[in-house]
Amino acid sequence: MKTHDISGVFCAAATPFAEDGSPDHAAFAHHCHALIEEGCDGIALLGTTGEANSLGLWERQDLLDRVIEAGIAPSRLLPGTAQTSVTDTVALTRHAVEAGVRAVVLLPPFYYKGVSDEGLFRAYAETIDRVADDRLRVILYHIPQMSGVAISQQLIARLQAAYPGIVVGVKDSSGDLDNMRRTIAECPDCAVMAGADPLMLPLLQSGGAGCITASSNLVASDLRVVFDGWEDPTREAEVAAAQACINAWRELSNAYVQLPTVKAMLARRRGWDGWTRVRPPFVELDDEERASVWAQMEELEHEGAA
């Protein structure tokens, strides 16, 4: 397995909200500490699962500052810092780099559709050039079903050639394992991270670097088993059992709209109903939906304990 600068199990962490709709910093810090104890190498905060695009710039900066103040080492953090405007992306990215984070995760500018690789290259290049900090490490974020803008292997290779040691990886949330394998083949110095939990194992077997996933809010310990044990033939049964658990929990998280479902599941897991709160345009699960998810969680927990 190729060694990458960034590899392992990273949680695309959900963001808890207080009754007034503001980010709940204490609950978030508690969640991050728990995730690390459960097996995560780090936290990819302020991404899709973190409702980052429903937060203002100052809220995003404050959440990062406060979780570091709460004792999460910045070297464990991969914050999303992309905006549709390069100017705002530079502001968020510079703030994150100065805070000492391990890397930032950058969506492409996602409002305009049908843009060329040349345009995307210029947007990423301007961001990197304006941040102008040798500590910057960038993970590109490929999620075309949400952003409407794909990141091609040609663009990745061009950015890595122009910014060696800075553009270090890609989070591929397309769900397309063949696309991830093409990236590994065509961009061998790129750390390819799966954005869907069930795909981490086949990606590792193809030379990938790990995962940044939503369900790791709930199955970090099982992902840890897979990441640590997938190459060890004596752990084959243990890895298979962990993978089956990952798949079942991922399936449940998609029972309804994923993000409100993950937060309903976290409410039960962390013992705090406030986890169910979401920001518009999301809507929380209704009582019947939440009860169904919680009942299925209980079944999965019993199966795991058996």
Side-chain angles (χ1 to χ4, degrees):
M1 180 178 175
K2 181 178 175 64
T3 300
H4 293 284
D5 290 342
I6 294 177
S7 64
V9 175
F10 291 85
C11 179
T15 304
F17 296 111
E19 287 188 54
D20 65 1
S22 63
D24 190 315
H25 298 108
F28 184 65
H30 175 267
H31 182 48
C32 290
H33 281 290
L35 288 168
I36 290 170
E37 290 175 4
E38 290 162 6
C40 286
D41 291 290
I43 312 297
L45 66 163
L46 295 167
T48 304
T49 308
E51 298 174 77
N53 290 305
S54 298
L55 299 177
L57 265 66
W58 70 268
E59 290 179 308
R60 293 170 71 157
Q61 292 172 331
D62 194 39
L63 188 71
L64 176 60
D65 290 341
R66 296 285 290 273
V67 77
I68 292 171
E69 290 171 5
I72 300 296
S75 60
R76 289 186 178 270
L77 299 178
L78 309 177
T81 59
Q83 295 278 275
T84 53
S85 138
V86 169
T87 298
D88 288 344
T89 300
V90 168
L92 288 173
T93 302
R94 183 178 290 131
H95 172 264
V97 171
E98 290 174 351
V101 303
R102 188 167 183 182
V104 299
V105 181
L106 292 183
L107 283 163
F110 50 84
Y111 177 77
Y112 296 107
K113 307 303 187 284
V115 296
S116 64
D117 273 9
E118 176 64 27
L120 295 178
F121 177 84
R122 292 184 187 186
Y124 279 122
E126 185 176 341
T127 297
I128 295 167
D129 290 342
R130 287 173 58 182
V131 171
D133 194 315
D134 290 340
R135 296 172 295 176
L136 173 62
R137 299 292 180 270
V138 171
I139 297 172
L140 306 171
Y141 189 3
H142 177 66
I143 183 168
Q145 69 273 29
M146 296 290 284
S147 69
V149 181
I151 298 175
S152 69
Q153 284 80 23
Q154 293 78 14
L155 176 60
I156 296 168
R158 184 179 174 190
L159 284 166
Q160 287 200 298
Y163 300 100
I166 291 179
V167 178
V168 297
V170 59
K171 176 187 176 183
D172 191 326
S173 293
S174 67
D176 184 346
L177 183 59
D178 287 339
N179 186 71
M180 300 178 209
R181 287 171 171 158
R182 283 194 298 273
T183 304
I184 292 167
E186 297 179 25
C187 309
D189 293 328
C190 181
V192 181
M193 311 288 284
D197 311 76
L199 297 182
M200 184 181 75
L201 178 56
L203 185 66
L204 289 171
Q205 292 166 338
S206 299
C211 71
I212 302 174
T213 57
S215 298
S216 51
N217 283 280
L218 301 153
V219 291
S221 58
D222 294 293
L223 288 162
R224 180 84 265 150
V225 169
V226 173
F227 187 86
D228 289 345
W230 71 274
E231 291 183 290
D232 184 348
T234 68
R235 299 182 66 182
E236 183 176 355
E238 181 188 8
V239 168
Q243 187 66 46
C245 184
I246 291 164
N247 295 347
W249 282 83
R250 173 77 177 195
E251 183 177 354
L252 178 55
S253 76
N254 288 324
Y256 303 100
V257 177
Q258 187 189 51
L259 195 149
T261 305
V262 167
K263 296 188 88 170
M265 295 168 79
L266 279 171
R268 186 180 188 277
R269 174 65 58 83
R270 301 296 183 216
W272 179 56
D273 285 348
W275 263 112
T276 60
R277 300 185 188 111
V278 292
R279 277 197 174 177
F282 288 108
V283 176
E284 67 276 0
L285 301 191
D286 62 32
D287 291 345
E288 182 178 345
E289 292 167 338
R290 185 172 64 252
S292 173
V293 168
W294 285 8
Q296 292 177 75
M297 286 180 70
E298 185 173 5
E299 292 178 9
L300 290 175
E301 288 163 353
H302 285 162
E303 290 173 6

